[in-house]
Structure formats: structure tokens, C-alpha cells
Amino acid sequence: MRVLAVEDEPDLLGSLLKALREDGYAVDGAPDGEDGLDKAESYDYDAVVLDIMLPGIDGWEVLRRLRKTKKTPVLMLTARDAVRDRVRGLDSGADDYLVKPFELSELLARLRALIRRSASQAQPQLEIGDVTIDTAARKVSRQGQEVLITAREYSLLEFLALHRGELVTRTMLYDHLFDENDDTLSNLLDVHVSNLRKKLGHDFIITRRGHGYCIE
Ligand code: CA
């Protein structure tokens, strides 16, 4: 999953990026509204964390312009607990909001819920055959036994599982699993897929030659 964080306070942006990376996301940062809007329009992020008070174009304007072309889930960060701001945010097409200061753990939980909802998946547990993916704990089990997988393998598996039954192209995977600072991605997808097959069964992930992958 790939997330964009738009925040002009350098310390907060830094800790957001760090926490998101530690939680296994590919993540890009933007220090102002212009850059944020540019990135949000250029990439298909799985979610955007958007501060309202930004220099130049503010979060409201970023959201308004983004909604003309994209449905990317947006979590707004508001500076105070003003009902007016929350109502305006939700009316403008925001999907959720969080009042500063907030706990990073709450932000991460809300993001997980947003991403699940946008994949029409209300439950945190995904059951596929004898494999269970717990998206809240980021754990995977097969026939009730926990399967140890790496953060990258988890991200790949979760993305495929949330798009179950659909063809997921290699381009989609590169866009959603790697961020703009990541330049080590060549051939890695095949390695991750191969490792997941060893752990979850050879037919768990199907290769569509020349097109991509699919979980059925
Ligand atoms: Ca701000």
C-alpha cells in the first residue's frame, strides 16, 4: 500500500513518514499543497493524509481539486476540534479526519480502516481458502498456524487479497508497493511472489503471463 502525507511542519511530516514506513507502507511526503496535489494527481495512492493548514493552497483546496479527478481516500488533519471544520471536511469529500495532536497509532488504525473500506472490505480479517490475513495485526495464518512473512511480502499479499478476483498488473504493484525513493525494485516482485507461494501454496497466487498476478 502506498500513502501520501501532506504536512508543512517538518517534524510532524518526518515522524509521519517514519511511522508509516515502519508499518510497511510505501510512502511519499509533500511539504505544501502544490506538491501534495501534484503527487496525488500523478499517482494512484491507496490513501492521502492531508493537513488543512498549509502554505499556498490549503488542504481544503487540495481536496476540492483532487475530487474532480480522483476518489483516493483522504484523511484530513485538523488543528482544532471545531465541528465546523469536521463538517466542512466531510462535506468536501474527505473520508475521515483526525484532530491534532493525535496518537500515531490512531492515525495508522484509521488509515487501515479507510483502505479496507475503499476496497469494500469492512472486516479486518480476509479469508481466502485456508489462508487468513489479519489486516489489523498484519499477520497471516494458514490452517490456523501463523505464517512468518516479511513486511514486503505482506504488502504484496494484502494488495492482491484486497483486489481478489481481479488481474493486478506489475505496474499497479510497482505503483502501490514502492515509493519514489525506492530504486531497488527490479525483479523483486518475482522473488516475493515465489516466496509467498512457498509459504501459502503454489496455486495461491496465479500468474497471468505478460499481464500480472491474481488471487482467485
Ligand atoms: Ca500545517
Side-chain angles (χ1 to χ4, degrees):
M1 298 291 157
R2 185 172 178 183
V3 172
L4 171 68
V6 189
E7 169 60 64
D8 61 312
E9 292 162 47
D11 288 351
L12 180 54
L13 180 60
S15 52
L16 278 174
L17 298 181
K18 182 164 176 283
L20 288 163
R21 283 204 181 98
E22 282 172 1
D23 218 35
Y25 292 97
V27 56
D28 298 324
D32 58 55
E34 299 268 350
D35 189 36
L37 182 62
D38 187 45
K39 284 179 173 153
E41 287 178 332
S42 306
Y43 300 104
D44 278 329
Y45 289 102
D46 297 288
V48 176
V49 178
L50 179 61
D51 187 29
I52 289 178
M53 300 298 286
L54 294 167
I57 56 174
D58 66 13
W60 300 121
E61 187 60 16
V62 172
L63 180 63
R64 195 182 67 78
R65 294 195 204 171
L66 180 65
R67 280 290 173 261
K68 288 182 178 171
T69 55
K70 296 223 177 196
K71 293 179 185 165
T72 317
V74 171
L75 173 69
M76 302 287 282
L77 301 180
T78 75
R80 60 212 151 92
D81 190 7
V83 173
R84 203 178 42 176
D85 276 2
R86 281 183 271 149
V87 170
R88 185 174 171 191
L90 296 170
D91 279 348
S92 309
D95 300 273
D96 200 358
Y97 66 89
L98 204 51
V99 178
K100 290 179 173 178
F102 51 84
E103 294 289 332
L104 284 170
S105 58
E106 183 177 4
L107 178 115
L108 294 171
R110 284 175 181 269
L111 271 184
R112 287 194 291 270
L114 265 190
I115 291 170
R116 276 201 308 274
R117 282 208 298 275
S118 77
S120 304
Q121 178 71 43
Q123 296 299 321
Q125 304 253 352
L126 308 175
E127 310 262 356
I128 300 174
D130 61 0
V131 173
T132 303
I133 304 165
D134 182 340
T135 61
R138 302 178 65 82
K139 286 190 170 162
V140 178
S141 56
R142 186 181 184 198
Q143 295 171 345
Q145 300 285 323
E146 185 174 351
V147 178
L148 295 178
I149 65 174
T150 66
R152 267 292 152 72
E153 288 165 10
Y154 178 84
S155 303
L156 171 60
L157 176 65
E158 185 189 64
F159 191 82
L160 289 171
L162 287 172
H163 293 81
R164 186 179 181 181
E166 299 169 29
L167 172 69
V168 175
T169 65
R170 295 175 67 88
T171 307
M172 282 166 77
L173 289 171
Y174 285 132
D175 282 351
H176 288 269
L177 303 186
F178 302 96
D179 56 47
E180 56 189 6
N181 298 315
D182 227 319
D183 53 7
T184 56
L185 46 88
S186 58
N187 298 323
L188 277 179
L189 272 183
D190 297 319
V191 175
H192 294 322
V193 168
S194 161
N195 287 339
L196 282 171
R197 282 188 178 134
K198 280 178 204 151
K199 295 171 184 181
L200 302 175
H202 186 74
D203 297 330
F204 191 73
I205 297 172
I206 295 161
T207 301
R208 300 251 187 261
R209 288 271 163 242
H211 297 289
Y213 302 102
C214 180
I215 289 181
E216 292 186 329

